[in-house]
Amino acid sequence: MIIDKLQRKSSSQPDMTRRGFLISMAATGALFGFPLAARAAMDPEVADGVPIDAQGRPFEPTLWYWIDTEGQVNVNIIRAEMGQHVGTAIARILADELEVDWKNVHITHVDTDEKWGTMVTGGSWSVWQSWPVYRKAGAAGRTALIDAAATRWGISPEQCTAREGMVSGAGNRISYGELVEAGLSRSFTEDELEQLPLKPHGDLRLVGKDVKALDIAGKTNGEAIYGLDAKIDGMVYGVPLLPPTRLGSTVESVDDSEAGVIKGYVKTLTIEDPSDTVPGWVIVIGESLMAAKWAADKVKVSWNAGDTANVSEADIQAHSRSLIEDDSTGAILDTGNTETGEVFAEASDTLEAEYTTSTVLHFQLEPVNATALRNADGVWEIHTGNQWQSLILPTLSKALGEDSSNIIMRTYMLGGGFGRRLNGDYAVPAALASKALDGKPVKLVLFREQDAQFDSPRSPSVQKLRMAFDSDRNITAMEHHAAAGWPTGVMVPSFMPKGVNDVAYDPFAIDGADHWYSVGAHRVRAISNDLANKTFRPGWLRSVGPGWTNFALESFMDETAHKLGKDPLTFRLEHLTAEGINAGSSPNSVGGAKRQAAVLQRLKEIADPARSDLEDDTAIGIATTFGQSRDMPTWTAAAVQVHVDRSSGNVDVQKIWLVLDCGTIVDPDGAHAQCEGAALWGLSMALHEGTEIENGNVKARNLNTYTPLRMIDTPELEIDFIDSQEVPVGLGEPGTTPIAPAIANAIFNAVGARVRHLPISAEDVLQAI
């Protein structure tokens, strides 16, 4: 381990902990030989970029934090910070259980190390996964400190209480700092951690309350360090020339004869990539970023293109349709009763519809970038913002031909992630360019058009839904077939479970279709589009599968309600009966469909009054979803008010109501902000965002042709949370999922036009009218 090597080098200071050594080295700017500024992102709270220095010998009850002799608490955060204040949320979970004054809490976003386990920030998992871990860690510290105080005073721990960094008992009072200074070395096994008593929900004093975020200053005064800010002594810059296809291209020839006229041009590298992450890449090196960019404009490369050079979006969608029609393809999800064939054969009536979505890009504010070098100790350093360090490290190991223990990823702020930086593929060419230059620091930057071309977009999709009815017009069966490119299947197939037919499936390409409605026999089939997988690198994009599966599901449920002549909200409530597989279970889905029904009922209360005073061609549509997955449901319901211009087909979204039950709310302000952003992201994808595959690449590559939601088109938002003491679940993405179907349903209510494609264009609306 790299840190172990460093510890051995510090043997002249036997009383210093490993963390103390790292901090002292950082204070001199000597850590691994790179500038102190590069450490600033690890502690976005600290305005001057200097990580908090532990006073004396700190006490570390677990690896997740330490307490020093001044009573300061530093919490280690393995989640990426990209504007969501994840460090503040996680730190308050620990601080509440530890019973420490919030003003003494600090955070450090740590570098990669095996001891942290899986480092990933995605799937709306961060708070959900951190809740039990950091509560137990906080309880461990509180228990150790109380026990130490009780021993000191000769009383039982039951006679002591902890509050805001102080232990009191039998008329005595002592601070955490004093107890640490006296010497504490207690640790806890996993079994002991499991047995520790946690505070009752009613005793929580930081969770659910408004507190100051720990990382505001650096974000607002320009001192926060992002990947694009990385600066290493002696580094050069790289700008890539991308091949004609994402996969399968090879370089035939390179002519850099004209690049020499550019001042600062260094050389052009043809990248050989053993990991096959960036086949066919050429990287132009310059002494400055613009020198590399201007020289790249003059370098001529001839490629042998891969076999997807002529693939179009229409080809991919046609292939999805053929796969859906082939009943032998795909994985069947466990929905309790998947045998629908005979039920449909005996049905008195059926309903069927197809829904499609276009390719969607991430277009995060900060284009992807990475800085790589081999430091003086022979360790490879990768400086970049990343959402899933544990995923890309093995790929970097393969690309560099180095053991992963000899590679470390430095943590930086992310200028937007939205799932793009879950795939750290952009770190690979930077590392290979540095290797080609004998380990010299190389800062690789993709400009906006390259960032779009190299994106891991959300795959286009085709979905076919069917409903069967008996002679009394009751639902007897439902089928949902969905075909798209599979990001998890391409990048981390080990994360894929198997369906009831023993075929693996990508949960992030089908979650949402396995809904909580009671519909009789229910068959969900997830199908991987192999042509999409070969043409581009499908990626996880905010809300992943539920962003498009729920568009189809909730539009179809609306169509079903109208076919049966029922009010769409009442119809949904009738089928959210919390029976069988939909009853829910502990700890994450307690209440099951009843909680989804509750957010829908609350939505009716707050949105229905607006229906009484609507203008012509204006209406409200609803949708309800459960956020990310059945394993971590965030019960969500949305109503959207739209006005449709019959002459142009333009849709004006006037207001969004959003109701969520996310269990215990850890950070109220952050929760509200996350849901606002998610709802607007859903609106953006519903009406504004989308491109297509043309000649094997995305067609739109800049914001003149790819047009996300603009501020001027932002509607009024009303967000309401159900009060709950259940396990906190995800909030980064669920608010996205009901918006598109609610808009589509509102359009139908306003002008009778049913649209079944995303993004919804004015032309689509006119045609439907």
Side-chain angles (χ1 to χ4, degrees):
M1 299 287 290
I2 298 164
I3 293 180
D4 291 332
K5 294 177 183 176
L6 288 170
Q7 186 183 22
R8 289 195 292 272
K9 290 182 181 180
S10 67
S11 59
S12 61
Q13 300 181 45
D15 292 334
M16 183 173 287
T17 63
R18 290 187 299 174
R19 180 173 285 101
F21 170 75
L22 295 177
I23 291 169
S24 66
M25 289 293 284
T28 64
L31 183 59
F32 297 132
F34 66 91
L36 182 62
R39 294 234 340 132
M42 300 179 205
D43 190 358
E45 170 208 353
V46 180
D48 60 7
V50 181
I52 180 174
D53 191 355
Q55 299 300 307
R57 185 184 181 93
F59 170 48
E60 299 180 78
T62 77
L63 78 166
W64 300 113
Y65 68 107
W66 52 253
I67 310 169
D68 73 4
T69 57
E70 297 296 321
Q72 300 295 307
V73 176
N74 192 69
V75 185
N76 295 317
I77 308 295
I78 65 171
R79 311 298 178 182
E81 175 54 44
M82 45 192 164
Q84 81 280 39
H85 304 306
V86 67
T88 292
I90 292 173
R92 82 160 77 197
I93 294 170
L94 185 142
D96 206 330
E97 199 67 53
L98 178 60
E99 274 292 357
V100 63
D101 194 324
W102 185 245
K103 71 176 183 294
N104 293 330
V105 178
H106 312 269
I107 55 177
T108 295
H109 288 261
V110 298
D111 290 334
T112 55
D113 191 307
E114 291 179 2
K115 69 181 180 182
W116 304 121
T118 301
M119 296 181 73
V120 58
T121 310
S124 299
W125 290 344
S126 294
V127 168
W128 173 57
Q129 291 184 342
S130 300
W131 175 256
V133 174
Y134 283 83
R135 285 199 75 185
K136 292 170 188 172
R142 173 168 46 83
T143 299
L145 290 158
I146 286 176
D147 287 352
T151 299
R152 182 186 185 106
W153 298 326
I155 61 177
S156 72
E158 288 72 23
Q159 293 176 269
C160 301
T161 58
R163 183 74 178 268
E164 295 187 342
M166 303 288 295
V167 180
S168 303
N172 303 296
R173 184 174 170 84
I174 190 171
S175 71
Y176 285 3
E178 291 175 275
L179 288 167
V180 171
E181 188 170 21
L184 279 176
S185 60
R186 184 173 176 181
S187 61
F188 296 78
T189 66
E190 285 299 319
D191 288 342
E192 288 172 333
L193 285 172
E194 288 295 327
Q195 299 303 316
L196 290 175
L198 302 179
K199 293 167 60 175
H201 195 280
D203 289 346
L204 296 174
R205 282 182 278 272
L206 292 174
V207 168
K209 308 299 189 296
D210 289 321
V211 300
K212 178 184 177 182
L214 298 176
D215 55 5
I216 293 294
K219 290 177 178 177
T220 54
N221 64 16
E223 292 177 337
I225 305 296
Y226 296 81
L228 276 174
D229 299 319
K231 188 174 183 181
I232 311 298
D233 288 341
M235 76 180 183
V236 292
Y237 295 79
V239 170
L241 295 170
L242 302 186
T245 57
R246 178 67 171 79
L247 301 170
S249 290
T250 57
V251 177
E252 188 174 80
S253 64
V254 177
D255 178 3
D256 69 340
S257 58
E258 296 182 17
V261 302
I262 301 298
K263 183 179 179 181
Y265 169 65
V266 176
K267 66 187 304 182
T268 298
L269 304 173
T270 299
I271 298 299
E272 299 295 333
D273 179 12
S275 72
D276 204 34
T277 303
V278 286
W281 272 46
V282 172
I283 297 178
V284 179
I285 303 295
E287 294 175 355
S288 69
L289 178 59
M290 292 315 297
K293 174 67 170 68
W294 292 329
D297 293 338
K298 294 184 176 296
V299 174
K300 298 179 177 63
V301 183
S302 176
W303 283 280
N304 294 312
D307 59 11
T308 60
N310 297 316
V311 171
S312 69
E313 183 120 342
D315 295 332
I316 293 171
Q317 296 293 66
H319 189 53
S320 280
R321 291 187 176 94
S322 67
L323 289 167
I324 288 173
E325 292 307 310
D326 180 358
D327 200 54
S328 67
T329 64
I332 309 299
L333 275 64
D334 182 5
T335 54
N337 177 5
T338 62
E339 301 301 320
T340 59
E342 186 174 337
V343 183
F344 270 90
E346 297 175 352
S348 295
D349 195 6
T350 62
L351 177 66
E352 182 175 312
E354 179 188 273
Y355 299 86
T356 57
T357 64
S358 295
T359 298
V360 181
L361 298 171
H362 290 85
F363 259 104
Q364 70 288 341
L365 181 62
E366 178 193 12
V368 292
N369 60 86
T371 302
L373 72 148
R374 183 192 284 139
N375 67 32
D377 292 323
V379 175
W380 283 98
E381 298 177 17
I382 311 297
H383 297 243
T384 189
N386 185 261
Q387 292 179 246
W388 196 347
Q389 299 92 322
S390 300
L391 177 62
I392 197 59
L393 274 171
T395 305
L396 284 164
S397 175
K398 185 175 182 179
L400 290 169
E402 293 274 355
D403 190 275
S404 59
S405 64
N406 206 42
I407 304 170
I408 188 166
M409 294 186 73
R410 300 292 181 200
T411 298
Y412 285 74
M413 293 272 209
L414 280 61
F418 311 120
R420 172 59 184 100
R421 287 182 163 89
L422 286 164
N423 177 8
D425 50 2
Y426 48 89
V428 173
L432 291 172
S434 176
K435 183 176 182 179
L437 297 177
D438 299 321
K440 186 178 181 66
V442 175
K443 183 174 185 175
L444 179 80
V445 177
L446 276 69
F447 283 75
R448 181 62 69 192
E449 293 85 357
Q450 297 167 315
D451 180 81
Q453 183 178 338
F454 189 55
D455 195 9
S456 295
R458 188 180 80 180
S459 172
S461 69
V462 176
Q463 298 176 81
K464 179 180 177 181
L465 281 77
R466 301 173 68 205
M467 196 82 85
F469 309 92
D470 63 17
S471 58
D472 294 324
R473 296 169 65 80
N474 297 312
I475 296 175
T476 55
M478 181 177 180
E479 292 183 351
H480 190 150
H481 311 266
W486 282 6
T488 314
V490 171
M491 289 187 274
V492 56
S494 62
F495 267 50
M496 299 201 305
K498 287 188 176 181
V500 296
N501 59 344
D502 205 36
V503 176
Y505 66 91
D506 184 348
F508 301 104
I510 196 61
D511 278 344
D514 52 344
H515 56 68
W516 294 79
Y517 292 112
S518 296
V519 290
H522 183 202
R523 187 170 188 247
V524 175
R525 183 163 61 118
I527 305 167
S528 175
N529 187 317
D530 54 308
L531 181 58
N533 296 340
K534 289 189 296 185
T535 303
F536 53 91
R537 186 62 61 90
W540 301 281
L541 181 139
R542 188 175 189 178
S543 79
V544 286
W548 49 275
T549 60
N550 279 313
F551 165 64
L553 170 64
E554 282 298 293
S555 295
F556 191 63
M557 295 303 285
D558 218 66
E559 292 196 53
T560 303
H562 285 287
K563 177 180 176 65
L564 298 176
K566 294 190 174 185
D567 171 71
L569 190 146
T570 302
F571 168 76
R572 287 172 170 83
L573 290 175
E574 289 174 352
H575 293 276
L576 289 170
T577 54
E579 299 171 347
I581 196 172
N582 298 322
S585 61
S586 179
N588 301 315
S589 60
V590 174
K594 288 183 179 178
R595 288 172 71 185
Q596 188 166 357
V599 295
L600 198 57
Q601 290 168 327
R602 176 59 182 153
L603 181 74
K604 177 179 175 65
E605 293 172 9
I606 64 174
D608 257 16
R611 297 180 189 273
S612 62
D613 190 28
L614 297 177
E615 299 178 354
D616 291 344
D617 302 331
T618 302
I620 295 173
I622 65 163
T624 177
T625 71
F626 53 96
Q628 205 65 15
S629 66
R630 287 184 70 98
D631 290 338
M632 186 198 66
T634 300
W635 315 105
T636 309
V640 180
Q641 180 177 311
V642 308
H643 172 77
V644 181
D645 186 328
R646 288 180 178 269
S647 63
S648 66
N650 287 330
V651 178
D652 175 27
V653 174
Q654 298 174 335
K655 184 169 182 177
I656 294 174
W657 294 264
L658 192 62
V659 179
L660 303 100
D661 177 354
C662 59
T664 298
I665 295 176
V666 173
D667 181 353
D669 185 65
H672 195 273
Q674 286 274 54
C675 293
E676 282 184 332
L680 295 178
W681 187 277
L683 168 56
S684 188
M685 289 194 292
L687 295 181
H688 302 279
E689 292 192 50
T691 183
E692 61 180 295
I693 303 297
E694 181 180 77
N695 297 324
N697 282 298
V698 295
K699 182 178 180 181
R701 299 185 192 175
N702 213 324
L703 295 171
N704 59 334
T705 53
Y706 193 85
T707 55
L709 179 73
R710 265 53 174 181
M711 191 175 293
I712 194 172
D713 297 316
T714 300
E716 179 184 354
L717 290 131
E718 184 175 336
I719 297 173
D720 194 60
F721 292 99
I722 301 292
D723 186 40
S724 174
Q725 295 186 9
E726 300 295 345
V727 170
V729 286
L731 270 183
E733 298 165 282
T736 300
T737 58
I739 303 302
I743 290 173
N745 297 335
I747 292 170
F748 179 81
N749 293 338
V751 294
R754 181 64 68 179
V755 288
R756 301 186 181 89
H757 176 75
L758 293 182
I760 300 167
S761 68
E763 292 77 14
D764 291 340
V765 174
L766 278 179
Q767 185 175 356
I769 290 175

